[in-house]
Each structure stands twice: as structure tokens, then as C-alpha cells.
Amino acid sequence: MSVVLEADGLGISFGGVKAVDGVSFRAEAGRILAIIGPNGAGKTTLFNMVSGVYLPKAGAVRLGGEDVTGMEPQVLAARGLSRSFQNLQIFFRMTAAENVMVGRHRHEARGVLAHLLSLPSVARQNRATRAKALELLDVVGLRAQADIPAGSLPYGALKRLEIARALATEPKVLLLDEPAAGCNPVETEELDRVIQQIAQSGVAVVLVEHDMKLVMKISSRILVLDHGRPLTEGTPAEVRAHPDVIRAYLGGHGAREAAGV
Amino acid sequence: MTSHSPDIAAPPAAGLLARLASGKLAVLLVLALLVAVPPLFFPSGFYYRVGAIVWILAIATIGLNLLMGFAGQVSLGHAGFLGIGAYAVALLPSRYGIHGIAAMVIGAALSAFIAWVAGRPILRLRGHYLAVATLGFGILIAMVLTNEQWLTGGPDGMRVPRLVLFDWPVRGSDTWYWIGGGAMLIAAWLALNLVDSPTGRALRAIHDSEVAARVIGVDVARYKLAAFVISAVYASVAGSLLAFFDGHITPDAAGFLRSVELVTMVVIGGMGSVVGSVIGTLVIVVLPQTLTFLSDYKHIMVGAFIMLFMIFLRAGIVPSLAALVRRRG
Ligand SMILES: Nc1ncnc2c1ncn2[C@@H]1O[C@H](COP(=O)(O)OP(=O)(O)O)[C@@H](O)[C@H]1O
Ligand SMILES: [Mg+2]
């Protein structure tokens, strides 16, 4: 399998505190790499560095073998990297279909003058873009909600809408930040199927998720972070049996319970 | 991912076309009626005069709404472009013998260029900082127009040569009423086209989440700049038409108060609503005229009305009323 995305020794600090420190991983086409760890472990920050939202202080990101460290998110998107957000970043005033249509942006002709004049080619392109968007809404089970303003959709639906929107860019790498958060068991089951389907189509999926059942079931490898540092990496079976992982999680719970009393 | 048969999408796509067409056409029809019907009831030429001003200024408002209501970026200096358009049609024909229409086009091109150059650094700013930077930009243009007496006639302003089309001198409030109305309809049509295009979707996306727009490939800086340049051209054309119509211009055309007035028109009418921009302009231009009987208290009442509108129709007149109708219906 080919490595599509490679993070090498990434690090960043906020106010002198190292949020992520020396984290490396490789994502392969058609595989699901999960990144787990307690809240505040630095998973989202890692995604922000990889997707160009934050500039890493240390380390490098390689996409398709090329160094892309410090490139802007829209440049990375053009090179085939897209993502979803843990804290929803939805275009709330647009319909579900329009949200996904924006995801087609990089595949559309972008001449502003043609858009102002609404040339026949623009209308044709709009139809093709919408058809593609509806197809993707169907994939995530939101076809029936296509023309509803995104602002009035429930949380779980918006999580899936973000996935459809990211897919619309036709990424080679897809970063999913806690897609199952706020989903009911039925929706999680649905998501399980969708994520596997995405990977099967050849996309390298990097999945941050707290739902351990889902993670253990669909990931081919798991990277465990703790306090911004890598704790271990391996197959689901290896990670499950790793004493540090058990300790980190149990320790985390123990500490939280102690603080709660 | 690719295994989906196209038959799922085909019928809704055809439905979309019908809906898009009906939506855009419906809006244009409403605006066309708004222009065409009132003259049947005009008791005097004065009404044509007010109407012409409304339609011409509405062009600038629609343009500013593309920037504010769609892209979500404020400008407190857009009267500067109004001024550039106005002075272009005053100066170029009288000094260089350039035809009025060509002067209008040159003014629009100059506005576009200035917006493009000034917009790059300014649009990196956000919120209040952007507001203050655009404010400074508008004041700068107004000051140039005031201080360069040798060119612009200074604070007293200058005469604007009459527009001549095919040997026909364009004169009369009623003529300008129809020209302004037609130009406004074209401006609205272009804006509506833009809203339902990749550019329009990118602008609306930026308004809601810049970071999400970026990670799916939207060059946010490019589209903010595009909206700024387009809105500058709209304002410039409105400024040119207003100058032709008035026959005389002063630097006030580019002044801070004009900029604030434009922003008020956008907000009162409804951010992101093309019809709203026209209604907002109508209200802000007509309201003072209907309150002249209050003489000295007129301006106080206009201010009070604006406050009441914002308190009770916060989303703007058109979107708020539309929501109300939908809830009742
Ligand atoms: N923009 C930021 N400014 C300051 N601190 C940040 C910022 N982003 C993340 N952090 C900090 O980095 C740490 C890791 O956070 P995060 O990546 O969100 O963790 P996770 O996603 O694993 O729950 C936290 O301590 C968080 O407060
Ligand atoms: Mg997180």
C-alpha cells in the first residue's frame, strides 16, 4: 500500500505549553488510521497542523511524497487533502446541498465574469455540481434533507454533512475529527459503513474518534497520543493489549474521578 | 463512491433549474413592477426625481450588499468609489473630450483597480479593524477630491456635462427615472446571477466559516477581493449616473455620510437580500422627503425610524417580512 500522507515529528506550543510534541504518522491509501487519546491530548491540534490551519513549530508534513509543510489549507485541498471539524464548521445559512456544492469548488470553472453573466456553461456546471452533491448526500444518508437550510439540521446530521462536503473535493486524504460525536447508535452504525466505504474507494482516512468500539472495528492501525506525545502505535489488537494505553485511560479516569469528589 | 447511478440525481436537477429560474425571474419581476407601476400615480415631476435617485443609489446598495450580506465584509468607505465614478464623468468629457459613456467605463475600471490594490492589505483585517481601515480609505478619497482644487473645483464641486446618446441629449427627471430603473434591474440581475454561481457560493461560505471554506479549497483572500472589486464597480457606476442626472457634483458625493448611508440602506433592507437593498434605499431616500412637514425635527424622526426598524425587523425589512409571511402562510 502506498503512503499518501506523512507527518514527521510535528510539534507546536501555545504560551510555552507543548500541545503537540514529536508526533509522526503515515496514512496509506485505502486504509483507516485512527488517532486516539484523552481530551486535550492534541489530536485536533495535530489535524490543524496537517491541514495547514496552524503552522507547525517543528517537523514536516509530506503529501504524495512532497513537502507541504506550512502550505495554506486551500492549497492542500487542491493537492487532495480535506477534513471535517470536531467543532462544527457548517455554512449554516446555506442548504445542505449548497454546503456540499461548495466542496466542488476546486473542480468548477472559476471565471467571475462568466458567473456574473450566468453564461449557459455556468448553468450547466451548476446542474452537474448539484447532481454530484446529491449523490454525496445520498452516501451519508442526507439526500432527503438536501434543500433544508443547514442551520435547522440536527447535530448528528451536520457531522455527516461535513463528511459529504469534504468528500466533494475528491480528496486523496480525509481527516475526520470525531465524526461520531453526538450521533445515536443507529447513526454511528451508518457512519461505520460510510467511513469504510470511503476507505475502500482508495482514500487514506485519518480518524480521530472516542467511540472505541467503532475505532477498534474499522481501523487498520491506531496511534495513541497522550499529553501531546505519542504513547504507542500498532494494530487494534496490539493497542488494546498495551499496558501504557490501559494505564493512560484508567489513570485518566482515576484522576478525573478524584477531582470530581 | 462512484457506483451511484445518475438516475437518482436527474429529476431533482431538472427541478432545480425550474426553481432557480422561477426564483431569479420572480425577484426581477417584482423589481420591474416596482419601477414600472408607481409612475402611473405620480402627481408631479418631483416624484420622478426622487425615484431616479432611488434606483441609481440602489445600484450601489446592491453592490455593497454583495460585499456585506454575502461575503460578510463591511466597508465604511464605499462612497469613495461613488465619488470616483462621479468625477470621472465630470472630468473626462469636459477636459479631454471623452464621451460620457466611455468616461463612466473608465471610472468603473479605475474604481476596480483602486479596489484591487487597496483591497489586498485592507481585507486581511477583520471586524472593527476592517471597518476603520475602509473608513480611512473613503476619507482619503474625499480629501483628494476636496483638496485638488485645480482638478476638481474643490469643495464647491464642478459641473457635469450632459450625457449625449446618439445626438440625443439625455434630460429630464422622467428620462432618468427610466434609465436608473433599467440600470438597477441589470445590476440586480448580475447580482442574482452571481449569488447562484460558484463565486456566490464561495462568498456565502466565507461568511459562515472561513476555515471550512479554506479546507475545501476556497481561496478566501481571492473571493473577498473579488467581492470588494465588484462592489466598487457597482458604486462607481451609480456615482457616474447620479452625476449625469444631477449635472453638478461636490466632494460630498464621496463623503463619510454617504458611506454610512449606503451601509444603513444595506442593513435596513436586509443583508444578503437583493430586493432588500432596493427597499432599503427606497426607505432611506424617501423617508426624509415624507417627513419634511416636521422641518427641524425631520432628522430626529429619520433616526428614530431607523432604530425602530432595527429593533423590530432586525434581519432587515425584506428578510424579516418574508419570514413573517412564511410563518403565517
Ligand atoms: N489555538 C490554541 N490556543 C491555545 N491553546 C490551544 C489551542 N489549540 C489547542 N490548544 C491546547 O492544546 C491542547 C490540545 O488540544 P486539542 O488538540 O484540542 O486536544 P484534543 O483534540 O486531543 O482533545 C489543549 O491543552 C488545548 O488547550
Ligand atoms: Mg479534539
Side-chain angles (χ1 to χ4, degrees), chain A residues 39-40 43-45 86 177-178 208 210:
Chain A
N39 278 327
K43 306 180 294 293
T44 299
T45 306
Q86 177 183 355
D177 200 349
E178 303 201 14
V208 164
H210 280 304

PDB file of all heavy atoms in Angstrom, chain A residues 39-40 43-45 86 177-178 208 210, ligand 2:
ATOM      1  N   ASN A  39      -9.092  13.710  26.064  1.00  0.00           N
ATOM      2  CA  ASN A  39      -9.321  15.108  25.692  1.00  0.00           C
ATOM      3  C   ASN A  39      -8.098  15.944  26.040  1.00  0.00           C
ATOM      4  O   ASN A  39      -7.513  15.773  27.096  1.00  0.00           O
ATOM      5  CB  ASN A  39     -10.536  15.674  26.439  1.00  0.00           C
ATOM      6  CG  ASN A  39     -11.826  15.285  25.751  1.00  0.00           C
ATOM      7  OD1 ASN A  39     -11.870  15.167  24.522  1.00  0.00           O
ATOM      8  ND2 ASN A  39     -12.863  15.060  26.535  1.00  0.00           N
ATOM      9  N   GLY A  40      -7.717  16.813  25.122  1.00  0.00           N
ATOM     10  CA  GLY A  40      -6.557  17.666  25.358  1.00  0.00           C
ATOM     11  C   GLY A  40      -5.248  16.996  24.992  1.00  0.00           C
ATOM     12  O   GLY A  40      -4.172  17.560  25.209  1.00  0.00           O
ATOM     13  N   LYS A  43      -5.011  15.932  19.562  1.00  0.00           N
ATOM     14  CA  LYS A  43      -5.445  15.327  18.299  1.00  0.00           C
ATOM     15  C   LYS A  43      -5.919  16.387  17.301  1.00  0.00           C
ATOM     16  O   LYS A  43      -5.506  16.386  16.142  1.00  0.00           O
ATOM     17  CB  LYS A  43      -6.583  14.312  18.583  1.00  0.00           C
ATOM     18  CG  LYS A  43      -6.215  13.261  19.624  1.00  0.00           C
ATOM     19  CD  LYS A  43      -7.345  12.297  19.883  1.00  0.00           C
ATOM     20  CE  LYS A  43      -8.572  12.921  20.523  1.00  0.00           C
ATOM     21  NZ  LYS A  43      -8.384  13.398  21.909  1.00  0.00           N
ATOM     22  N   THR A  44      -6.781  17.279  17.799  1.00  0.00           N
ATOM     23  CA  THR A  44      -7.296  18.323  16.906  1.00  0.00           C
ATOM     24  C   THR A  44      -6.175  19.259  16.460  1.00  0.00           C
ATOM     25  O   THR A  44      -6.110  19.670  15.296  1.00  0.00           O
ATOM     26  CB  THR A  44      -8.426  19.110  17.611  1.00  0.00           C
ATOM     27  OG1 THR A  44      -9.482  18.210  17.911  1.00  0.00           O
ATOM     28  CG2 THR A  44      -8.942  20.242  16.743  1.00  0.00           C
ATOM     29  N   THR A  45      -5.279  19.575  17.400  1.00  0.00           N
ATOM     30  CA  THR A  45      -4.145  20.435  17.061  1.00  0.00           C
ATOM     31  C   THR A  45      -3.284  19.789  15.980  1.00  0.00           C
ATOM     32  O   THR A  45      -2.805  20.459  15.061  1.00  0.00           O
ATOM     33  CB  THR A  45      -3.304  20.698  18.331  1.00  0.00           C
ATOM     34  OG1 THR A  45      -4.167  21.213  19.341  1.00  0.00           O
ATOM     35  CG2 THR A  45      -2.201  21.696  18.055  1.00  0.00           C
ATOM     36  N   GLN A  86     -14.148  18.953  14.487  1.00  0.00           N
ATOM     37  CA  GLN A  86     -14.782  18.492  15.728  1.00  0.00           C
ATOM     38  C   GLN A  86     -15.872  19.480  16.138  1.00  0.00           C
ATOM     39  O   GLN A  86     -17.009  19.097  16.385  1.00  0.00           O
ATOM     40  CB  GLN A  86     -13.727  18.380  16.829  1.00  0.00           C
ATOM     41  CG  GLN A  86     -14.318  17.969  18.166  1.00  0.00           C
ATOM     42  CD  GLN A  86     -13.262  17.929  19.257  1.00  0.00           C
ATOM     43  OE1 GLN A  86     -12.077  18.121  19.012  1.00  0.00           O
ATOM     44  NE2 GLN A  86     -13.695  17.668  20.469  1.00  0.00           N
ATOM     45  N   ASP A 177     -12.464  14.481  12.291  1.00  0.00           N
ATOM     46  CA  ASP A 177     -12.269  14.780  13.712  1.00  0.00           C
ATOM     47  C   ASP A 177     -13.556  14.486  14.490  1.00  0.00           C
ATOM     48  O   ASP A 177     -14.493  15.271  14.463  1.00  0.00           O
ATOM     49  CB  ASP A 177     -11.857  16.247  13.882  1.00  0.00           C
ATOM     50  CG  ASP A 177     -11.181  16.501  15.230  1.00  0.00           C
ATOM     51  OD1 ASP A 177     -11.237  15.597  16.090  1.00  0.00           O
ATOM     52  OD2 ASP A 177     -10.600  17.584  15.410  1.00  0.00           O
ATOM     53  N   GLU A 178     -13.575  13.363  15.173  1.00  0.00           N
ATOM     54  CA  GLU A 178     -14.702  12.912  15.986  1.00  0.00           C
ATOM     55  C   GLU A 178     -16.038  12.941  15.230  1.00  0.00           C
ATOM     56  O   GLU A 178     -16.988  13.598  15.660  1.00  0.00           O
ATOM     57  CB  GLU A 178     -14.800  13.755  17.270  1.00  0.00           C
ATOM     58  CG  GLU A 178     -13.505  13.703  18.062  1.00  0.00           C
ATOM     59  CD  GLU A 178     -13.687  14.060  19.546  1.00  0.00           C
ATOM     60  OE1 GLU A 178     -14.830  14.089  20.016  1.00  0.00           O
ATOM     61  OE2 GLU A 178     -12.671  14.279  20.213  1.00  0.00           O
ATOM     62  N   VAL A 208      -9.980  10.617  14.011  1.00  0.00           N
ATOM     63  CA  VAL A 208      -9.921  10.883  15.447  1.00  0.00           C
ATOM     64  C   VAL A 208     -11.290  10.565  16.006  1.00  0.00           C
ATOM     65  O   VAL A 208     -12.294  11.086  15.522  1.00  0.00           O
ATOM     66  CB  VAL A 208      -9.545  12.359  15.730  1.00  0.00           C
ATOM     67  CG1 VAL A 208      -9.863  12.720  17.171  1.00  0.00           C
ATOM     68  CG2 VAL A 208      -8.087  12.600  15.419  1.00  0.00           C
ATOM     69  N   HIS A 210     -13.607   8.987  19.684  1.00  0.00           N
ATOM     70  CA  HIS A 210     -13.648   8.491  21.067  1.00  0.00           C
ATOM     71  C   HIS A 210     -14.409   7.183  21.181  1.00  0.00           C
ATOM     72  O   HIS A 210     -14.277   6.472  22.176  1.00  0.00           O
ATOM     73  CB  HIS A 210     -14.287   9.533  21.987  1.00  0.00           C
ATOM     74  CG  HIS A 210     -13.353  10.619  22.378  1.00  0.00           C
ATOM     75  ND1 HIS A 210     -12.138  10.364  22.994  1.00  0.00           N
ATOM     76  CD2 HIS A 210     -13.415  11.960  22.240  1.00  0.00           C
ATOM     77  CE1 HIS A 210     -11.513  11.497  23.221  1.00  0.00           C
ATOM     78  NE2 HIS A 210     -12.256  12.496  22.767  1.00  0.00           N
TER      79      HIS A 210
HETATM   80 MG    MG C   2     -10.232  17.473  19.625  1.00  0.00          MG
END
